[in-house]
Amino acid sequence: MFVRNLGRRPYAEVWELQRETQQALIARRGPETLLVCEHPPTITLGKSSKAEHVLASPETLSKNRIEVFNVERGGDVTYHGPGQVVVYPIVDLRLRKRDVDWYMRLLEQAAIETLATFGVVGTRIKGKTGVWVLDPDGFSPRKIASLGVRISRWCTMHGLALNLGSVPGEISLEEGFSYINPCGLGDVQITSLCAETPASTVAPEALLEPVAEALAQSLIGLLEITPLP
């Protein structure tokens, strides 16, 4: 499997690269690939989205240079921006298990394993896709990772976004998510790796590369694939 770390790239550019890579994989003309990146401020609406789940006006979004895309993945609305690592696995489930639920749980497990590496306990909540952080009493769920996929002929695209923390000088993750009704869940609270490890002095931008590497290695291990030399 090839891992391509793209750095910060516009959403439209990476979206097109995903489609090209997926089509090559479907035709068995290209390799399985993990695309790893960070996006400028972007809102995406999945197939289950409702227009009213974008809470900000077009004027506000334009003023803040936030692009909006209707995409073919499942799920509702989400936000991408600086301080968030995004992983798009383009993998062939024909070689493994033709089971969408299995694959979604695998993505969640990769995020849970990665968070554990950095000292944060992530968990699932029944009936809610994604990864969450809970208080010790098991209450006050906070969403730290979002998922949404598109599977065509059992080859995947789209994937997983994990919040690292707001980057100084950029639109904060808190502000970006305030412009939407995340995943249509209403008053869902959004959190990040830095917010859950307040004693850490590591800046979100310094976490991008090591978290991306940990996510990629976790996904490769869960998919039982040996990286190509």
Side-chain angles (χ1 to χ4, degrees):
M1 174 175 286
F2 291 118
V3 179
R4 294 187 61 181
N5 194 329
L6 304 173
R8 187 179 297 187
R9 295 284 185 93
Y11 186 87
E13 178 184 332
V14 181
W15 188 18
E16 180 60 27
L17 180 57
Q18 287 187 73
R19 287 186 292 222
E20 292 173 357
T21 307
Q22 185 196 45
Q23 288 304 307
L25 186 60
I26 288 171
R28 304 185 192 276
R29 291 186 287 101
E32 294 186 308
T33 304
L34 291 181
L35 302 176
V36 184
C37 65
E38 182 186 44
H39 291 304
T42 306
I43 290 171
T44 67
L45 296 98
K47 293 188 296 182
S48 302
S49 296
K50 297 179 180 179
E52 59 266 28
H53 289 171
V54 178
L55 306 179
S57 68
E59 293 76 19
T60 297
L61 297 177
S62 177
K63 177 183 177 182
N64 287 282
R65 298 182 181 180
I66 300 175
E67 294 189 288
V68 180
F69 295 91
N70 287 281
V71 298
E72 67 275 77
R73 64 164 172 78
D76 207 305
V77 61
T78 195
Y79 172 79
H80 296 305
Q84 182 188 73
V85 62
V86 187
V87 179
Y88 297 120
I90 317 296
V91 299
D92 191 344
L93 298 183
R94 294 172 296 188
L95 305 176
R96 297 175 187 82
K97 192 171 183 178
R98 303 187 189 203
D99 186 322
V100 177
D101 185 68
W102 171 83
Y103 179 64
M104 296 293 282
R105 303 294 79 77
L106 182 145
L107 294 179
E108 290 171 346
Q109 185 61 32
I112 290 169
E113 290 181 1
T114 299
L115 289 168
T117 300
F118 293 86
V120 173
V121 178
T123 189
R124 299 179 178 90
I125 295 180
K126 187 175 181 180
K128 295 181 178 181
T129 300
V131 177
W132 307 74
V133 178
L134 304 177
D135 286 341
D137 59 8
F139 293 101
S140 302
R142 302 176 294 284
K143 194 169 190 179
I144 195 167
S146 301
L147 281 68
V149 303
R150 163 74 172 176
I151 299 176
S152 179
R153 299 185 186 179
W154 293 108
C155 292
T156 69
M157 63 180 288
H158 296 291
L160 163 68
L162 193 154
N163 302 329
L164 303 180
S166 297
V167 176
E170 305 278 4
I171 293 176
S172 70
L173 290 177
E174 293 79 8
E175 180 180 355
F177 277 101
S178 76
Y179 294 144
I180 65 172
N181 176 354
C183 301
L185 295 175
D187 60 352
V188 61
Q189 185 178 351
I190 299 296
T191 192
S192 65
L193 182 58
C194 287
E196 298 300 329
T197 53
S200 173
T201 59
V202 180
E205 53 266 46
L207 286 169
L208 190 62
E209 187 171 335
V211 172
E213 174 67 17
L215 261 178
Q217 292 307 312
S218 179
L219 280 166
I220 289 169
L222 290 167
L223 289 164
E224 296 181 344
I225 294 175
T226 302
L228 297 175

